[in-house]
Amino acid sequence: MMRKILIVDDDLKTRTLLKAYLEKNQYEVHLAHNGEAFLAEFQRYADALSLVILDVMLPDTDGFALCKTVRHRSNVPIIMLTASSDETDRVVGLELGADDYMAKPYSPRELLARIKAIHRRSGIDNAAAPRYYRFTGFTLDTVERTLADPHGQVVALTGLDYQLLKYFVEHPGDILDRGLLCEQTRGRDVGPLDRSLDVQISKLRLRLNDGGKDPHLIKTVRGAGYVFAADVVVS
């Protein structure tokens, strides 16, 4: 079950980049370039939406009016985007029913983190998240928090092993930098001289029979981070 997001922004480049980034992170994304198009899309998908992202400045209306309209019809979570640093805009948006507010320019990674936080608070991620991730004969069970090898034998995982592997299988093919992986598994970034993540990945590779000089599951991308190279099937 994919989480469905509706975004309205009058900037084509921003819409295109956000759509590509969120779809890569397993979201279904619908776009609108102005208020009229947004309301048409909202009417079409209202019952299926898990989140709405509203740009404040639009050519035919503003995000505040759209926020008010959405909130009268639905309790779907709302994130508002603005180029203004004025606190008044943020307060007005929140008072109209927005769940979060981001000032431009912003990083897609931070927006994604806020989307995930809202989904966690609203229970959407818990309902939508798949239980099983299967790759090269292995099966990761996110309910039991166990890993079974191709022979059905349980592979012993530490808590950090599990968190790291779960994040990898959730983002197959993505280059994940060290800072992001540390934030996701430890709740903090690390300095450039801290090798704890590299040690943890080496241990995880051994548990996946992926050691040696040329790992085929968790690959190192020099100067960029790591990538989980296997095809992953979710259910």
Side-chain angles (χ1 to χ4, degrees):
M1 175 180 168
M2 293 191 71
R3 296 146 294 180
K4 195 187 301 286
I5 297 176
L6 176 57
I7 301 172
V8 58
D9 195 302
D10 63 341
D11 184 79
L12 175 60
K13 183 178 180 181
T14 298
R15 292 197 308 272
T16 303
L17 289 174
L18 278 183
K19 180 178 174 66
Y21 186 79
L22 293 176
E23 286 182 340
K24 186 171 69 171
N25 284 276
Q26 302 180 14
Y27 291 87
E28 179 180 335
V29 180
H30 297 268
L31 301 175
H33 66 284
N34 62 19
E36 181 180 2
F38 170 83
L39 291 175
E41 291 291 286
F42 180 74
Q43 183 69 25
R44 181 179 180 185
Y45 296 111
D47 293 338
L49 293 173
S50 67
L51 189 130
V52 167
I53 299 176
L54 305 175
D55 187 17
V56 169
M57 299 298 294
L58 296 168
D60 58 344
T61 184
D62 61 56
F64 300 128
L66 294 180
C67 180
K68 189 174 182 180
T69 299
V70 168
R71 195 47 77 229
H72 280 163
R73 301 181 186 179
S74 170
N75 289 321
V76 64
I78 299 170
I79 295 178
M80 302 196 71
L81 308 175
T82 180
S84 172
S85 59
D86 191 343
E87 183 183 273
T88 302
D89 280 359
R90 182 166 64 253
V91 172
V92 170
L94 294 173
E95 288 180 343
L96 287 173
D99 296 85
D100 204 348
Y101 212 100
M102 290 191 66
K104 296 180 177 181
Y106 57 86
S107 73
R109 188 202 298 181
E110 182 182 359
L111 178 60
L112 177 62
R114 296 199 186 202
I115 290 171
K116 288 182 175 181
I118 288 175
H119 280 161
R120 283 196 301 272
R121 291 197 300 269
S122 61
I124 291 171
D125 265 356
N126 293 334
R131 174 173 180 172
Y132 298 107
Y133 292 82
R134 296 181 172 88
F135 57 94
T136 62
F138 288 90
T139 300
L140 183 69
D141 183 335
T142 61
V143 174
E144 297 294 334
R145 295 171 65 93
T146 58
L147 177 68
D149 69 14
H151 304 290
Q153 300 298 310
V154 174
V155 179
L157 294 178
T158 66
L160 281 178
D161 287 336
Y162 171 80
Q163 292 175 37
L164 188 58
L165 179 58
K166 183 173 183 289
Y167 198 73
F168 273 128
V169 299
E170 287 175 338
H171 302 86
D174 292 352
I175 297 175
L176 306 174
D177 66 58
R178 297 176 73 256
L180 176 61
L181 289 170
C182 287
E183 288 173 6
Q184 294 296 325
T185 58
R186 291 174 167 83
R188 59 179 176 83
D189 199 348
V190 296
L193 300 180
D194 189 323
R195 312 311 299 176
S196 59
L197 176 66
D198 308 285
V199 172
Q200 191 67 43
I201 287 178
S202 294
K203 291 180 178 179
L204 181 57
R205 282 172 170 158
L206 291 176
R207 299 187 195 281
L208 297 173
N209 299 319
D210 192 37
K213 295 182 179 180
D214 186 26
H216 62 280
L217 286 179
I218 303 174
K219 293 181 175 291
T220 301
V221 181
R222 189 173 298 277
Y226 296 92
V227 61
F228 194 77
D231 292 329
V232 177
V233 177
V234 300
S235 62

